[in-house]
Amino acid sequence: MVSLSVSNKRYTYIHESGSKSTREAIDIHHVIINGSSGTGYARRWGLGFFLVFLASSMYFLLGKDNPARTLSWGCLLSGFLVMLHSRKFVKKESVIILPTFGIQLETQYLSGKTVSRFIPIDKILKPVLVECVTPITCYWSLSLFLRGEEQLTLVFKELRPPLKMLVPIWKALCAAIGTDHQSETIAEEEHDVSS
Amino acid sequence: MAEPPKLRVLMVSDFFFPNFGGVENHIYYLSQCLLKLGHKVVVMTHAYGNRSGVRYMTGGLKVYYVPWRPFVMQTTFPTVYGTLPIVRTILRREKITVVHGHQAFSTLCHEALMHARTMGYKVVFTDHSLYGFADVGSIHMNKVLQFSLADIDQAICVSHTSKENTVLRSGLSPAKVFMIPNAVDTAMFKPASVRPSTDIITIVVISRLVYRKGADLLVEVIPEVCRLYPNVRFVVGGDGPKHVRLEEMREKHSLQDRVEMLGAVPHSRVRSVLVTGHIFLNSSLTEAFCIAILEAASCGLLTVSTRVGGVPEVLPDDMVVLAEPDPDDMVRAIEKAISILPTINPEEMHNRMKKLYSWQDVAKRTEIVYDRALKCSNRSLLERLMRFLSCGAWAGKLFCMVMILDYLLWRLLQLLQPDEDIEEAPDICLCHHRGVEVSEGLRKKIK
């Protein structure tokens, strides 16, 4: 049952939860890349492959090679690069909260491949909202303090959903592990965020 | 009367805590006082070791430690355009109105000011140092400064000498340059409750042991003073390349029992070193302001200093004995200081310093500069390019090309990631809630 849906240009957040009467219901939070962003990805990579194709074509043409051979080489190279990078395109990331058991983090790629990671509930110390800074940008990130681990664990490894999408997931995680989110603070990024 | 609109200031410099120095202190204390005046202040600096990302300091001061590694002398590698995306993101995220850059040495500061002007923000620059005009390094630095300040709204200098120096170096209109001195946290630098005995006079030196700070002068002055006054001892705090020369001097003149070398002194321990002495000795060869003198005077020490840069402007005549940067003249100045030492009242000196120098006053004066900057009219790209063209026959054209490219890159970034796609950060107003510091802005967002 979809209980909440939030969208922006790039992402759509969907919250699926079981029956409201039982607290033991599985809680699922999806963050999906919008179609427009997918086509944006495709457009950007398409341009990249076109440039690679153009460069390889120029190389063979300057080498006074056979044009048919040039074209086939270009297609082959572009195809190989498409294959190589299509595996890295993320379709959606999900957080599945299993009360009393733990949480499962899932990443689904455009190729259909799904990568999952289960974290037992007793290993989670605290979910935190941190501001991450890279050499070129800043963004909000939802991370977990795990028992016995120095580094923070990212809930969303590939996607960077906005704060308005992260807050309900953070609240749900707080409720699942039994911390009072009203008295929480913004966590400073005191640890390196593990990738 | 309506309350003036509160500003959102971005302080940019390569020099900030955990690094320690005059610029770092200035940014921190100024930011704290501006926060108390109701403005929002954000600091942007480069990462220091593992200190990377966003940190919050006292009073909710937000610091962006951008993961750019320092290149030389704690400054980042000059990429010119590399910092544009992160500067743009921070300016949009924090809804900044004024960008305030600190220190001419800081490449991050120059780049941030350039990008901020390209994006139409108001910019203010504070120069904390004095530079020469003749050597190769100074010539290049002055050209960079000329480029950086050609399109600035207002500038601040820490002394009148520094103002004159900056105006001459950058070709900036003197009407745009304000003089706002540094200050001292007098609460941190209080005199000792019991004044040390004058049977043995202790002269304290705390500075980096480098050529610019006059370490070579100390090598000649200390043995002569020790020869003239058997009851004088020296306490030297600080480290640097000239440390070896001072150690050699100590060995050569057998002054191990009279010259105590402390090595590097953390800022938290400076006061405890100062209060053990009677006279503070500053031998700098060039100095725009010299906060060390203020700290010493606040601790009730009589100061002996070289008459260089902005030093003569710092203290009233009865609190300081000035000398030329020459060993003989400095020895004479120390002799004079020893003779007037009985008339010095540390408590009275401390109270006078409290009135003379306060960070609250510095913040209020800086607020006026920000206000002036906001009143400056927005110039079009063509008007701005005309200003750069006047920077020199070849340099002017080069500066114009740099700015045109910066403008085009900014437009490209806007195309790839429109302004509305950059998420605004909630304002932090730290208040106590159930014993935990909570972000008011984020709490509203969560609720």
Side-chain angles (χ1 to χ4, degrees), chain A residues 9 131 133-140 162-164 167 170-171 180 182-186 188-190, chain B residues 52-56 62 64 67-68 85-86 89 93 421 423 426 428 434 436-437 439 442 445-447:
Chain A
K9 277 185 192 174
E131 287 183 87
V133 181
T134 72
I136 56 163
T137 191
C138 314
Y139 59 95
W140 284 95
L163 188 62
K164 64 178 177 182
V167 166
W170 174 68
K171 277 183 172 181
D180 175 17
Q182 291 299 331
S183 65
E184 289 297 320
T185 176
I186 298 182
E188 294 170 25
E189 197 188 57
E190 289 187 358
Chain B
S52 174
V54 175
R55 299 289 176 108
Y56 287 92
K62 190 176 187 178
Y64 282 89
W68 288 85
I86 188 74
T89 304
R93 265 176 82 81
D421 284 6
E423 216 177 347
I428 302 301
R434 293 193 219 164
V436 183
E437 280 196 333
S439 148
L442 191 68
K445 210 154 193 169
I446 288 163
K447 280 178 182 174

Side-chain angles (χ1 to χ4, degrees), chain B residues 249-317:
Chain B
M249 172 272 292
R250 221 165 53 132
E251 296 288 327
K252 185 183 172 184
H253 298 278
S254 305
L255 297 171
Q256 289 90 337
D257 58 331
R258 293 179 66 189
V259 179
E260 190 184 346
M261 302 286 286
L262 300 175
V265 179
H267 196 255
S268 55
R269 272 195 60 228
V270 169
R271 187 249 170 200
S272 58
V273 174
L274 286 171
V275 295
T276 62
H278 303 86
I279 294 168
F280 179 76
L281 180 60
N282 171 53
S283 57
S284 295
L285 301 179
T286 171
E287 203 75 75
F289 187 83
C290 193
I291 293 178
I293 291 174
L294 290 189
E295 291 171 350
S298 184
C299 287
L301 275 75
L302 176 62
T303 302
V304 174
S305 177
T306 45
R307 192 185 280 105
V308 292
V311 172
E313 302 171 34
V314 176
L315 291 172
D317 294 342

Side-chain angles (χ1 to χ4, degrees), chain B residues 317-355:
Chain B
D317 294 342
D318 60 328
M319 284 190 185
V320 64
V321 180
L322 296 169
E324 293 305 316
D326 164 74
D328 296 335
D329 202 33
M330 285 196 76
V331 171
R332 278 194 291 274
I334 291 167
E335 284 177 357
K336 187 185 173 185
I338 290 168
S339 68
I340 63 168
L341 204 56
T343 64
I344 299 298
N345 181 345
E347 277 300 327
E348 188 196 320
M349 201 183 261
H350 174 77
N351 292 332
R352 279 175 73 190
M353 288 303 295
K354 221 184 235 181
K355 289 190 185 87

Side-chain angles (χ1 to χ4, degrees), chain B residues 22-212:
Chain B
V23 180
E24 292 85 345
N25 259 354
H26 183 103
I27 297 169
Y28 178 77
Y29 283 112
L30 175 60
S31 300
Q32 290 298 338
C33 291
L34 287 170
L35 284 166
K36 280 176 189 161
L37 289 169
H39 304 292
K40 177 172 181 173
V41 186
V42 178
V43 178
M44 180 188 173
T45 186
H46 65 72
Y48 282 88
N50 288 336
R51 192 182 285 244
S52 174
V54 175
R55 299 289 176 108
Y56 287 92
M57 296 180 87
T58 314
L61 175 64
K62 190 176 187 178
V63 186
Y64 282 89
Y65 287 98
V66 182
W68 288 85
R69 293 284 163 232
F71 165 59
V72 66
M73 284 167 65
Q74 284 302 336
T75 62
T76 46
F77 185 79
T79 58
V80 185
Y81 305 112
T83 50
L84 176 60
I86 188 74
V87 168
R88 175 179 175 253
T89 304
I90 292 170
L91 291 173
R92 290 293 306 174
R93 265 176 82 81
E94 302 295 341
K95 307 181 281 293
I96 298 299
T97 50
V98 177
V99 180
H100 190 168
H102 291 263
Q103 187 64 320
F105 278 132
S106 172
T107 51
L108 186 66
C109 158
H110 290 302
E111 287 179 22
L113 293 184
M114 179 181 85
H115 303 321
R117 286 306 295 127
T118 298
M119 289 181 258
Y121 287 89
K122 302 296 179 191
V123 295
V124 175
F125 173 75
T126 297
D127 201 353
H128 294 263
S129 301
L130 293 176
Y131 290 86
F133 298 88
D135 58 292
V136 177
S138 294
I139 291 165
H140 283 295
M141 196 66 233
N142 294 346
K143 211 66 189 167
V144 169
L145 199 72
Q146 195 179 7
F147 164 59
S148 203
L149 302 193
D151 191 30
I152 214 144
D153 292 298
Q154 302 293 328
I156 298 169
C157 290
V158 292
S159 65
H160 290 290
T161 308
S162 173
K163 176 179 172 174
E164 195 178 316
N165 183 263
T166 301
V167 167
L168 286 169
R169 280 158 54 219
S170 64
L172 198 63
S173 160
K176 275 188 172 185
V177 188
F178 290 79
M179 197 291 284
I180 302 173
N182 275 307
V184 64
D185 184 4
T186 49
M188 256 182 84
F189 294 93
K190 288 177 179 170
S193 47
V194 180
R195 197 184 180 188
S197 166
T198 49
D199 295 341
I200 291 174
I201 294 163
T202 305
I203 299 174
V204 180
V205 179
I206 298 180
S207 83
R208 281 179 289 119
L209 302 178
V210 293
Y211 170 76
R212 192 176 75 81

